[in-house]
Amino acid sequence: MTRLSNDPAAFADEALEGFVAAHPRRVRQVPGGVVRATRTAPGQVAVVVGGGSGHYPAFSGLVGQGLAHGAAVGNVFASPSAHQVRQVARAAETGGGVLLAYGNYAGDVLHFGQAAVQLAAEGIPARTLGVTDDMSSASPEEAHKRRGVAGDLIVFKAAAAAAEAGHPLDEVTRIAELANARTRSFGVAFSGCTLPGADHPLFTVPEGRMAVGLGIHGEPGMGERPVPTADEAAELLVSTVLGELPEGVDAPRGRRAAVILNGLGSVKYEELFVVYRRVAQLLAEAGVEAVDPEVGELVTSFDMAGVSLTLCWLTDELEPLWTAPADAPAYRKGTVEAADLHVPDTSAETDEDTVPPATDDSRAAARTALAALRVLKDTVDVHADELGRIDAVAGDGDHGIGMQRGSTGAYEAALRAEALGAGAETLLLRAADAWADRAGGTSGALWGVILRAVGSALGDTGRPTAPVVAAGIAQASAGVMGLGKAEVGDKTMVDVLVPFSYALTAATEAGQPLATAWDTAAHSASAAAEATADLLPRMGRARPHAEKSLGTPDAGAHSLALIVRAVHDVFVPTLENH
C-alpha cells in the first residue's frame, strides 16, 4: 500500500513538486504539469502527453529531450482537466503545433479533446491521439475502444523522436498513429493497488489466484486463474500477444519488435528479469528479434503487484525512432546533446482578483448558487465512501474521491468569487473550471459542463426565474450528452440528468414555482438512478466489466440524484416563482 503521504487530497500536487525539485535540469513546473527545462528548437512540434498521477514514470517522468515536451498531470487516477492540458501545451509549444497523446480513457478523451479544440481556436494547431494497446479491454473488432497501458511509452517515443527530427505536425501524428496500430499489450496482476490514505486496495485477488487482463487504474482483471510460475507467466504473456498480429504482420518469424516487460509497482526488478529470461527465449523461438528491449517499471499503478508485456512490430520507419536517443528523468537512451536551459518570462501574470460587473439581483442569485454548492459539497462528503464502493464494483472505485475533490474546489472558487462581488454567471463559471481542474476524469469534465451551462443561462445581470433555471439544466443535459457521447440507457449520469431536466422543464412550464418544480424533478432523478441497477454499462471504465455491475446503480447517476435532492431546500425562499 502507499504508506507515505500527508493529506491524501494533496498527494498528487506534493509528488509533482518533489519530482520537479529532484530534476531541475530536465523539467520545470508550469500550471497543469511540467515541460522541458531545456530549450526546444523554434517551430518544432510539441508532443504533450498526460494522464492521472499514480503511474510514474508515466507521465511526468517521460518529459525531456528526445521524449515528450510536456506532461499534463491530473489527480490520482484522474485525467487532467482541459484547462490544465491547454496550459501545459501553451508552455511547451514553439510554433510547430501540438500533438496531445494520452491513454484511451473516457476522461482523457474528453479533456484532451476539449483542449485541442480550445488551442485551435487560439491559433495553435493541435491533434490528439489516444493509445489503444491493451488487448484485454476490447475485441479486435472494437480496437478503438481499447485502453492505453504500457504501450503509451512506445507511441510517445515514436512521436517525440519524429518531432525532434523536424517532421511537421501531420507527419508526427501519422507516425504516432502507425506506432499505436502496431502495438499490443497484455498484463496480469496478483494484487490490487491502494490509493493514498485508503485502508484497502481497489480490488483484491483470492489467495493463490491472479487477475488476467487488468487495467492500470485499479480496475479488476477480465478473469482469474491459478498463480503460475515465472516461466508459465511468460508463456501466457507471449502466447497472448503473439496471438493477435496487427494488420500487415502476417507471421512473427523474421520480424523485429520493440519489447517492454513492465512492472506495475510491486513486482521487483529481479522478478521481472526472471520472467524476461523466458520471454526472450519464447520470442526467439518464434523468430522475433527484440530491439532495444526495456525491462522495468515504466507505466505503473501505485503498489499493484503485476506485470505486462508490450510488443510494437517495427517498420523501417519506426525502428530508428524507437532507438533514437532520449534524456528524460525516468527514461534515458543513448546520448543527446544537452540543450541550454530555458528561462521563462513570468512577467505576464493573470489576475483573478477581479470579476465582471454584476447587478444586485445577480449577486443575490450568486449567493444562492454558493449555498447550493455548499450543500452539494457537504452531500458528497457524507456519501463519498458509498460512491467509491458502488464505483468499485465494475470500475476503479475513485468516484467518491473525485467528486470530493471537484465539489470542494468548486465551492472554494465560488466562495472567492462571491467575496469579490461576482454575479451568478461568473461565480458558476469559476466553480466549473475549478471542479474540472481539481477532479479531472470524466466526472470533472461533465460537472464542469453542467455548472458552466447553468451559469451561462443565469447571466450576471438578471434575477433568474424558474424557467431560466430549467433552461440552464436543459443546456447542461445537452452539453453532457454532446461531450460524453452517452445516451439514456448507457448506464451513466445521463440516465438521471435527462429525466431530471425533462421533469423540471415540464413543471416550470406548467407554472410551478422553482422549489416545487425542483422537488418534482428530484423524485424523477431518484427513480432513474435506482433504475440504472438493471442496466449494463456501454461506456467508460465499467464497460469491460459490464456483467459485474448488474444489480448495482451507476455511481455517477447515483451521486447526481443525491445532489439534486439535497439542494432542493436552497431554492425555497430565494428565487422568483415564475
Side-chain angles (χ1 to χ4, degrees):
M1 62 183 296
T2 308
R3 296 173 177 84
L4 294 175
S5 65
N6 298 308
D7 176 2
F11 183 87
D13 291 338
E14 292 180 347
L16 189 65
E17 183 181 348
F19 164 74
V20 172
H23 299 283
R25 294 193 62 81
R26 290 186 173 86
V27 296
R28 61 184 176 89
Q29 191 164 359
V30 297
V34 295
V35 296
R36 293 183 186 180
T38 52
R39 291 187 180 278
T40 299
Q44 185 177 119
V45 172
V47 176
V48 174
V49 304
S53 298
H55 305 300
Y56 191 86
F59 295 90
S60 54
L62 304 180
V63 174
Q65 289 181 255
L67 242 169
H69 297 74
V73 182
N75 273 306
V76 174
F77 290 179
S79 65
S81 71
H83 183 232
Q84 290 173 298
V85 175
R86 195 168 73 252
Q87 287 176 303
V88 173
R90 284 175 182 155
E93 202 265 341
T94 62
V98 182
L99 173 62
L100 305 176
Y102 47 88
N104 188 43
Y105 296 86
D108 295 290
V109 172
L110 294 182
H111 287 293
F112 280 86
Q114 282 183 304
V117 171
Q118 293 162 356
L119 288 167
E122 297 172 7
I124 299 175
R127 306 285 186 273
T128 63
L129 175 71
V131 181
T132 56
D133 59 305
D134 181 18
M135 299 170 61
S136 65
S137 54
S139 68
E141 293 73 29
E142 293 188 309
H144 63 284
K145 295 182 179 180
R146 288 178 169 176
R147 306 177 290 208
V149 286
D152 286 354
L153 172 60
I154 294 175
V155 177
F156 297 168
K157 177 72 168 57
E164 205 83 52
H167 292 296
L169 179 58
D170 286 343
E171 184 70 0
V172 170
T173 304
R174 182 193 65 79
I175 288 169
E177 291 171 344
L178 176 64
N180 184 49
R182 298 178 71 88
T183 302
R184 299 288 185 274
S185 296
F186 182 76
V188 298
F190 313 104
S191 70
C193 60
T194 305
L195 299 183
D199 57 5
H200 59 276
L202 291 177
F203 75 90
T204 58
V205 182
E207 188 71 26
R209 306 282 289 176
M210 73 173 179
V212 177
L214 64 135
I216 58 168
H217 295 94
E219 307 99 321
M222 303 303 174
E224 291 180 4
R225 62 175 63 190
V227 172
T229 64
D231 282 1
E232 290 169 343
E235 289 158 9
L236 172 63
L237 295 171
V238 172
S239 64
T240 303
V241 175
L242 293 186
E244 183 189 309
L245 300 178
E247 184 178 352
V249 181
D250 299 325
R253 184 160 300 279
R255 298 286 181 171
R256 294 166 66 80
V259 180
I260 296 175
L261 186 68
N262 178 59
L264 283 152
S266 293
V267 176
K268 304 320 298 174
Y269 276 70
E270 287 86 348
E271 296 174 272
L272 292 173
F273 290 134
V274 171
V275 175
Y276 189 73
R277 158 193 157 274
R278 183 59 178 150
V279 167
Q281 292 171 356
L282 292 167
L283 291 176
E285 290 171 7
V288 179
E289 182 176 349
V291 178
D292 277 10
E294 297 285 350
V295 179
E297 294 181 346
L298 295 160
V299 180
T300 63
S301 185
F302 272 117
D303 58 333
M304 183 185 289
V307 60
S308 65
L309 177 66
T310 299
L311 264 66
C312 176
W313 300 93
L314 297 172
T315 64
D316 290 343
E317 182 178 37
L318 290 176
E319 183 168 340
L321 301 174
W322 170 241
T323 59
D327 184 24
Y331 187 87
R332 298 170 198 172
K333 179 178 287 189
T335 302
V336 302
E337 182 177 347
D340 293 336
L341 290 179
H342 173 67
V343 181
D345 178 9
T346 59
S347 59
E349 300 289 345
T350 58
D351 183 5
E352 295 186 356
D353 292 332
T354 60
V355 295
T359 63
D360 289 342
D361 282 343
S362 187
R363 283 195 288 268
R367 291 191 289 272
T368 301
L370 177 64
L373 288 170
R374 175 58 187 266
V375 171
L376 188 162
K377 183 188 83 68
D378 291 346
T379 301
V380 169
D381 287 343
V382 168
H383 294 279
D385 289 343
E386 173 194 2
L387 296 174
R389 286 192 299 271
I390 293 173
D391 189 39
V393 171
D396 54 16
D398 70 345
H399 183 68
I401 296 172
M403 289 291 289
Q404 276 189 303
R405 292 181 186 132
S407 59
T408 298
Y411 175 69
E412 291 173 349
L415 196 64
R416 291 191 294 270
E418 193 275 334
L420 293 170
E425 179 177 12
T426 297
L427 181 140
L428 285 172
L429 294 187
R430 294 195 177 183
D433 289 342
W435 191 312
D437 282 354
R438 290 282 290 274
T442 306
S443 67
L446 299 182
W447 272 97
V449 167
I450 291 171
L451 296 182
R452 182 168 286 276
V454 175
S456 297
L458 299 187
D460 277 338
T461 58
R463 183 175 187 180
T465 63
V468 167
V469 174
I473 297 296
Q475 292 168 20
S477 179
V480 165
M481 287 191 290
L483 180 62
K485 309 304 180 187
E487 299 176 353
V488 172
D490 285 344
K491 196 166 186 171
T492 70
M493 71 185 304
V494 166
D495 290 295
V496 168
L497 184 55
V498 168
F500 175 73
S501 176
Y502 283 167
L504 185 64
T505 297
T508 56
E509 287 179 348
Q512 291 184 14
L514 182 62
T516 305
W518 193 278
D519 183 57
T520 300
H523 280 94
S524 297
S526 297
E530 291 177 10
T532 62
D534 298 325
L535 299 175
L536 291 174
R538 298 196 295 240
M539 301 191 72
R541 291 182 193 167
R543 180 187 53 78
H545 307 281
E547 297 295 337
K548 292 183 179 181
S549 77
L550 196 62
T552 302
D554 175 70
H558 185 60
S559 61
L560 177 57
L562 289 172
I563 287 166
V564 297
R565 165 54 55 201
V567 301
H568 164 257
D569 290 344
V570 172
F571 300 124
V572 174
T574 51
L575 289 178
E576 288 285 350
N577 290 343
H578 300 285

